[in-house]
Amino acid sequence: MDSSRRKNGLKARFDDDEVALGVLDTAYSPTLVEFYGDLGLDFVWADLEHGGPSPWDSGAMEDLLRAAERTGTELVVRLPNTDPTLVRKALDLGVRNVFLPRVESADEVRAAVKSSRFRYDGGPGDRGLASPRARRWGLADDYVETEDNETLVGVTIENRQSLAQLDEILSVPELGFVFVGPFDLSVSLGHPGEIDHPKVREAVETIRSTAVDAGVPVGGLGFGMDDVNEKTADGYQMLNLGSTTGALKGVVEGWFDAFDGDRSA
């Protein structure tokens, strides 16, 4: 099987210093993943930390992956924890972009990244060699090289612990990207929900500037297109534009606002 068919479009964006735009699909729907791909989004975020199917549910995950693969978009999967076994499971199903929640140390990140590689940092990695879906059931040529080249493992920086170890985390070999988590940061810093609080804004800027200086792609949430454009100018390379439920809410509320009839009970 031609390995060029298995290139990671998100990684290609990063390598070319381009910006990837995506959406959080809060419906976890293969139909919507497929539709978002046809609309031209670079990635669809499946957040398994806060909802969705179990990451151990191979059938549900394969359906989401098939929808992404058909339309040439990338599925970005946030796992519920940093367990290297869970990382390996997701990758064997065909996920190419894993991102880890609530990391606290560089050692934790290194173990997860190492679990995604057959060869790592000049030595052996910790990924298992079998014939799963990611290998096209044993049919894919150059499987080891392609997987090591095309797999991204990123982290969310969203608590005091990861903020304190930011330099060490950014130094982990083959770290794919860092994603700024302002809402959980606000909780960890003692100002839950206040993402505009000076301490939260300072932490967000520290993460952004340090990652950019370290040459690690940085991702974040876009709060409207003016904010997305500002963040693009500031060096963000991965931006989430919104969510399925957020988009539907805006459309339906717009319909109601434009309705001239009486909707009272």
Side-chain angles (χ1 to χ4, degrees), residues 167-191:
D167 288 331
E168 292 85 353
I169 289 171
L170 290 170
S171 297
V172 169
E174 299 181 52
L175 177 64
F177 58 90
V178 296
F179 198 93
V180 184
F183 289 102
D184 281 355
L185 265 175
S186 73
V187 174
S188 185
L189 294 173
H191 304 281

Side-chain angles (χ1 to χ4, degrees), residues 1-60:
M1 179 171 290
D2 180 5
S3 64
S4 67
R5 293 172 57 190
R6 298 181 291 123
K7 296 293 185 183
N8 184 337
L10 182 61
K11 183 176 184 295
R13 286 271 178 182
F14 292 163
D15 290 346
D16 292 339
D17 292 324
E18 296 176 345
V19 178
L21 301 178
V23 165
L24 170 64
D25 180 29
T26 41
Y28 304 93
S29 163
T31 300
L32 288 174
V33 171
E34 182 179 16
F35 185 50
Y36 284 135
D38 276 337
L39 287 171
L41 287 168
D42 300 304
F43 68 90
V44 179
W45 174 7
D47 186 1
L48 306 188
E49 181 191 8
H50 295 296
S54 165
W56 299 105
D57 186 343
S58 298

